[in-house]
Amino acid sequence: MTQIRQNPASADPSATLQATLPGLGACLLTIALGLLSGTACAGNRDLTAIANVSVLTMTRDAVLDKQTVLIEQGKITAIGPAGRLKIPANATVIDGSGQFLMPGLVDFHTHPRGDTELAAFRQYGVTRIVALGGELLGWHADARGLAAGSLPRIVSSTRPVDGYPPLGSNYYSLDQVADVAVALAGEQAGGAGVVKVYSNLSVPVLQEVALQAHGLGMPVIGHTPWNSAAADALDGQIDVVAHGEELFQYLGETAADADIAAVISRMKRHRVALVPNIVAYALMEQQAYGIADMLKDAQREQLSPTSYQEWLPRNNAYANRQDLDKFRGVLAAGMDKLKRITHAADQAGVTLLAGTDAPSFGYSGTSLLDELGLLSQSGLSNYQVLRTATANAAQVFSRFKKLPSHFGTLEPGQDADLILLAANPLQDLAALRQNRGVMIAGHWFSPPQLERDRLANRNQALAAQHIVDQYEDLLTHERIDDLIALLKPLPAGGFPKFSSSVVFRDVNRLAAAGKPELAIRLLSAAEAHIVVTPNYHNVLGGLKWKAGDKPGAQMEYRAVLAKMPGNAQALAGLAKLAAAAPDAK
């Protein structure tokens, strides 16, 4: 028997559905009321119909009214007028009357640290993310398995490839052209789909990175190196600039319109896409001046313990800036530049991509919705804004053979990653905040399911943050033995429980205070609970050297090179050891 529940968004839902779905022997899910979740239906979860819905294909600036969309085995198989397109009798049917269906959103610049943050992306209709810190490569195997399930799809970068010295503790430091090929092949074998490059990379190494990455079918995404000219970085070396801010170095103090036009023209000529990332720039100000208020926001409940620890005032790089009084003025001028760059890029036809850096600066999911609003303020039409978070991402990926590209538009053959909205976002982007359900790989998440997940994640996140608070309290009061006692019994596995960058900094401070042995004990106790890249051994090597254990230091540096061939930090460590003790083997 067909189950029909009234949809308040439809003037006469029963009549509409009976006319649209004559003789339907399927289970109807009325998502407008949110009465059932997809798993509560007796229908086939691998065969779904979204009926009588308005469709935004994102192939043109228009709406197709009263359509039925069929989904099977995670793919869109058919779209047609309601009442004409036959729905299989064993399909699960979702009533879309009075609502709008569009492709799920893509956040092209993220740094997820845990499952609560991944679930928060999904909560706000983000069905695919690009993780640009190599996060996926550093998670434990069980965490990677969870991330590959019903959470947003992830394309992970390599660990950020930087020069020497690298600007981050977990970066892959390379300063020799000869080491690039083996390094990138290893990162791809570990699960990377794109190459992330960073600011201290030399021009020759960047050029070799581009050559090898493209040969492996991977795009190069990231920062334009500080020591290169626009011609070096933007003439085919970088495929996607990860921040509009990166272009500031080419524009001079005034950022004249002619200078902006020249850089944008070069990007257009070489098919370089741009992630304006305006929201990250806006959130830097909040991190610097209002972090206490940000941490009082109800969304704090989504933060992984890693992000939470890095946001805390003691560890927050923005809140601890020495030039804080001048910083607000710098940000205000930069915001104006960013919007002008974004507008010029849009007018010139440069491919724009929506990205946020979440949760480095702001909350997952809502940061993307805020970014789309800022893109609108930069002069893009609503259709152009929506494409930055849908079709444009697939368009960039389609140029590289190793990346998925069957997403971003609502057409047969595309991945069934979808969001259902109460209103039309082409008319008002605020409609994106009226989410009535999310589908990822054909799996439907109704509003009740999303709310249940949110509450479960809230409890999990707050419990993990409480342990971070204990760490911070013990560290602040220099009760290191008690801190080690806290860390040792914590269960291993899953997502990281603490920030590796914070832990590395803390142990290095202990060593600098003349306590290298205590620092080693703390780092060893934390090992199972942080992201352990091979660079962990670089830190441990430095600590062992300060403790007088040169053979142990050598062993740690060689352990890095076994997993990260050519790692310049490890090579430098070995060279310094050899210089200090020429007979060291």
Side-chain angles (χ1 to χ4, degrees):
M1 177 178 178
T2 301
Q3 182 180 10
I4 298 179
R5 298 186 183 273
Q6 185 170 339
N7 182 347
S10 173
D12 186 1
S14 296
T16 300
L17 287 166
Q18 288 168 0
T20 304
L21 310 174
L24 175 66
C27 173
L28 177 68
L29 304 185
T30 306
I31 53 80
L33 286 176
L35 296 174
L36 296 172
S37 71
T39 56
C41 178
N44 184 353
R45 69 179 301 180
D46 291 326
L47 180 59
T48 304
I50 303 177
N52 204 37
V53 69
S54 296
V55 169
L56 285 68
T57 65
M58 296 315 302
T59 60
R60 56 192 176 115
D61 188 358
V63 174
L64 304 178
D65 291 324
K66 295 183 178 180
Q67 300 290 301
T68 292
V69 179
L70 295 183
I71 296 114
E72 187 169 4
Q73 299 294 325
K75 292 284 186 180
I76 299 168
T77 56
I79 303 172
R84 296 185 191 175
L85 183 62
K86 183 178 179 181
I87 297 178
N90 64 334
T92 296
V93 179
I94 299 168
D95 175 27
S97 299
Q99 296 167 97
F100 295 81
L101 188 70
M102 67 171 287
L105 302 177
V106 181
D107 191 329
F108 212 90
H109 189 154
T110 70
H111 295 285
R113 280 77 176 268
D115 50 344
T116 57
E117 291 166 350
L118 291 170
F121 280 114
R122 183 185 65 195
Q123 184 90 15
Y124 293 97
V126 181
T127 58
R128 191 178 302 259
I129 62 174
V130 182
L132 286 182
E135 287 82 6
L136 193 63
L137 281 63
W139 293 340
H140 293 288
D142 50 350
R144 293 179 64 165
L146 175 60
S150 58
L151 295 168
R153 302 173 192 253
I154 303 173
V155 172
S156 178
S157 76
T158 61
R159 298 170 181 89
V161 178
D162 204 3
Y164 181 79
L167 299 177
S169 58
N170 281 323
Y171 293 1
Y172 201 143
S173 178
L174 290 173
D175 65 356
Q176 298 297 319
V177 168
D179 295 323
V180 171
V182 172
L184 295 192
E187 294 288 284
Q188 186 181 60
V194 304
V195 178
K196 171 74 177 287
V197 293
Y198 217 75
S199 305
N200 209 26
L201 206 58
S202 71
V203 172
V205 174
L206 173 62
Q207 292 171 337
E208 186 66 14
V209 166
L211 178 67
Q212 297 296 333
H214 293 160
L216 293 169
M218 298 195 293
V220 178
I221 302 175
H223 295 212
T224 55
W226 290 335
N227 55 1
S228 74
D232 297 314
L234 302 179
D235 287 5
Q237 312 306 320
I238 291 180
D239 302 295
V240 181
V241 176
H243 303 263
E245 180 188 358
E246 291 298 306
L247 303 180
F248 289 4
Q249 64 178 308
Y250 309 129
L251 300 179
E253 191 66 30
T254 60
D257 289 345
D259 294 332
I260 292 176
V263 173
I264 294 300
S265 176
R266 187 181 298 278
M267 294 176 69
K268 173 66 175 175
R269 188 160 60 250
H270 294 281
R271 300 177 71 188
V272 179
L274 174 65
V275 182
N277 217 334
I278 307 173
V279 71
Y281 210 70
L283 287 166
M284 287 178 195
E285 182 172 356
Q286 292 188 44
Q287 289 276 337
Y289 298 95
I291 188 60
D293 289 335
M294 289 186 75
L295 288 169
K296 291 176 184 176
D297 192 300
Q299 292 183 90
R300 170 194 153 179
E301 67 192 33
Q302 68 168 248
L303 287 180
S304 69
T306 300
S307 297
Y308 173 70
Q309 188 170 31
E310 292 176 5
W311 281 32
L312 290 173
R314 181 182 80 89
N315 308 315
N316 193 307
Y318 291 92
N320 287 295
R321 288 182 66 100
Q322 296 300 310
D323 59 347
L324 201 55
D325 292 340
K326 298 179 181 179
F327 192 43
R328 182 170 275 140
V330 171
L331 290 174
M335 180 63 74
D336 177 67
K337 287 183 196 177
L338 269 179
K339 290 182 177 179
R340 289 168 57 210
I341 288 169
T342 301
H343 179 72
D346 174 61
Q347 293 296 300
V350 168
T351 300
L352 295 178
L353 302 163
T356 65
D357 252 313
S360 295
F361 301 112
Y363 292 108
S364 303
T366 52
S367 291
L368 183 62
L369 303 186
D370 292 340
E371 173 72 3
L372 299 184
L374 290 166
L375 292 173
S376 176
Q377 292 177 22
S378 301
L380 280 68
S381 71
N382 286 356
Y383 175 63
Q384 291 168 319
V385 168
L386 293 172
R387 278 188 62 92
T388 68
T390 55
N392 288 5
Q395 178 182 316
V396 170
F397 275 8
S398 69
R399 293 164 46 194
F400 299 92
K401 60 187 178 182
K402 295 291 186 179
L403 293 177
S405 60
H406 296 292
F407 65 94
T409 58
L410 211 163
E411 302 174 279
Q414 300 291 78
D415 292 338
D417 301 335
L418 307 167
I419 49 176
L420 191 62
L421 303 170
N424 182 2
L426 289 174
Q427 294 179 349
D428 187 347
L429 293 173
L432 294 169
R433 300 179 188 271
Q434 301 176 60
N435 184 336
R436 295 295 182 264
V438 179
M439 178 174 280
I440 299 178
H443 297 278
W444 176 249
F445 298 90
S446 68
Q449 181 65 54
L450 292 171
E451 179 62 10
R452 285 194 293 271
D453 289 349
R454 186 191 69 80
L455 292 174
N457 289 331
R458 173 184 183 274
N459 295 335
Q460 175 186 331
L462 293 179
Q465 291 171 18
H466 176 66
I467 296 174
V468 170
D469 288 336
Q470 291 178 277
Y471 174 108
E472 291 292 316
D473 181 67
L474 293 170
L475 193 287
T476 300
H477 291 91
E478 299 184 1
R479 294 168 55 189
I480 307 304
D481 286 329
D482 290 337
L483 177 54
I484 292 169
L486 170 72
L487 297 177
K488 283 187 174 180
L490 292 176
F495 291 94
K497 298 176 179 65
F498 303 95
S499 163
S500 58
S501 62
V502 171
V503 171
F504 290 167
R505 186 201 61 199
D506 291 341
V507 299
N508 282 326
R509 283 179 176 174
L510 279 173
K515 302 174 182 178
E517 294 86 357
L518 189 59
I520 291 171
R521 287 177 54 215
L522 176 57
L523 184 60
S524 298
E527 179 180 2
H529 312 303
I530 61 176
V531 172
V532 179
T533 69
N535 277 331
Y536 167 91
H537 297 284
N538 275 328
V539 176
L540 190 54
L543 294 177
K544 287 186 175 180
W545 189 1
K546 288 180 180 179
D549 181 7
K550 291 182 179 179
Q554 282 184 321
M555 180 184 69
E556 299 299 339
Y557 291 134
R558 287 169 178 162
V560 175
L561 295 173
K563 296 181 179 179
M564 274 187 167
N567 184 286
Q569 287 175 282
L571 291 171
L574 288 172
K576 290 175 182 177
L577 279 169
D583 58 337
K585 303 297 182 182

